[in-house]
């Protein structure tokens, strides 16, 4: 009958929500896989040296420029010396040695030297470092020297004098690379011009002959003298 109390049903348990797919939290910072390879490290090192100078190249600064922790950088290069080997190899690979074994010896030396100067004129802060950096474990640098050495040897150059000739040419090339970046008025004697009349007259004469860049004229003059002198030693 209507007045009788109905038996109470036990409450239904609340449905358990389906587990949501919560993505794993991404590690902070930039991904390192695409950055920390030899090309990326080399590029970052060159940019750092260009902006801060050689002394500005430290492992900590290099890691910051790459956006990684120093420990991650050390997984790829053991020391600053390893970084410099990468830089040395990168620059050496840009120097043109393709004329050796193909063109006459003097033409090959000429192309190599001009290319060498142009590469390092863009990276003068590295010259004091690269000029005295050992070539061990630098495959591209060694490949450059192998091509040049073979070219000298095949041209009849005395083998005991090949390395000395290469060193002499490099010394000239590195100095000329600095000259490319020198100001145009570097030889202006200023208020002391009358005290150095011979020098002043020669500088004025050079200014009148400026159909080419003075640095190129000087480099060509010196290089041709070296080629002529070394050529006389060929067998």
């Amino acid at each position: 009958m209507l007045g009788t109390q109905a038996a109470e049903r036990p409450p239904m348990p609340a449905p358990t929500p389906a587990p949501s797919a919560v993505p794993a939290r991404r590690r902070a910072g930039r991904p390192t896989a695409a950055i920390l390879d030899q090309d990326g490290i080399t590029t970052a090192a060159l940019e750092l040296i260009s902006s801060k100078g050689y002394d500005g190249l430290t492992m900590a600064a290099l890691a910051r420029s790459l956006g990684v922790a120093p420990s991650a950088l050390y997984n790829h290069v053991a020391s600053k010396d390893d970084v410099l080997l990468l830089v040395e190899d990168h620059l050496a690979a840009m120097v043109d040695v393709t004329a050796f074994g193909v063109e006459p010896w003097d033409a090959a030396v000429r192309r190599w030297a001009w290319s060498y100067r142009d590469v390092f004129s863009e990276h003068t802060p590295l010259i004091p470092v690269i000029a005295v950096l050992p070539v061990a474990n630098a495959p591209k640098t060694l490949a450059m020297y192998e091509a040049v050495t073979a070219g000298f040897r095949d041209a009849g150059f005395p083998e005991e004098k090949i390395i000395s000739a290469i060193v002499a040419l490099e010394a000239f090339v590195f100095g000329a690379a600095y000259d490319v970046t020198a100001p145009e008025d570097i030889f202006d004697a200023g208020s002391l011009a009358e005290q150095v009349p011979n020098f002043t007259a020669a500088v004025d004469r050079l200014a009148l002959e400026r159909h080419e860049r003075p640095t190129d004229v000087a480099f060509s003059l010196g290089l041709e003298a070296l080629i002529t002198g070394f050529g006389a030693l060929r067998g």
Side-chain angles (χ1 to χ4, degrees), residues 144-202:
M144 179 191 75
Y145 285 124
E146 176 66 13
V148 177
T149 302
F152 272 69
R153 186 176 185 179
D154 293 346
F157 206 87
E159 190 165 2
E160 71 276 10
K161 296 183 179 179
I162 291 176
I163 299 302
S164 295
I166 291 173
V167 170
L169 280 162
E170 282 189 321
F172 173 66
V173 164
F174 287 142
Y178 276 117
D179 191 40
V180 171
T181 64
E184 291 187 3
D185 62 349
I186 188 172
F187 291 125
D188 185 354
S191 61
L192 300 179
E194 292 184 358
Q195 298 181 28
V196 285
N198 295 298
F199 176 70
T200 298

Side-chain angles (χ1 to χ4, degrees), residues 108-172:
V109 172
R110 197 172 287 114
R111 182 185 295 190
W112 170 63
W114 277 96
S115 173
Y116 209 159
R117 186 206 68 159
D118 290 345
V119 167
F120 275 89
S121 68
E122 298 292 329
H123 301 283
T124 52
L126 279 167
I127 291 176
V129 182
I130 299 297
V132 295
L133 191 66
V135 300
N137 302 316
K140 296 175 184 177
T141 302
L142 287 168
M144 179 191 75
Y145 285 124
E146 176 66 13
V148 177
T149 302
F152 272 69
R153 186 176 185 179
D154 293 346
F157 206 87
E159 190 165 2
E160 71 276 10
K161 296 183 179 179
I162 291 176
I163 299 302
S164 295
I166 291 173
V167 170
L169 280 162
E170 282 189 321
F172 173 66

Side-chain angles (χ1 to χ4, degrees), residues 197-223:
N198 295 298
F199 176 70
T200 298
V203 171
D204 290 343
R205 182 63 181 177
L206 177 63
L208 294 175
E209 299 293 329
R210 281 192 177 178
H211 51 281
E212 297 180 73
R213 289 196 308 172
T215 56
D216 290 348
V217 173
F219 184 70
S220 180
L221 179 65
L223 180 60

Side-chain angles (χ1 to χ4, degrees), residues 30-57:
R30 297 165 58 191
T32 61
I35 300 173
L36 290 185
D37 57 17
Q38 289 189 350
D39 288 342
I41 293 170
T42 303
T43 299
L46 284 168
E47 291 175 350
L48 195 58
I49 293 168
S50 295
S51 60
K52 304 287 186 180
Y54 170 69
D55 290 338
L57 176 62

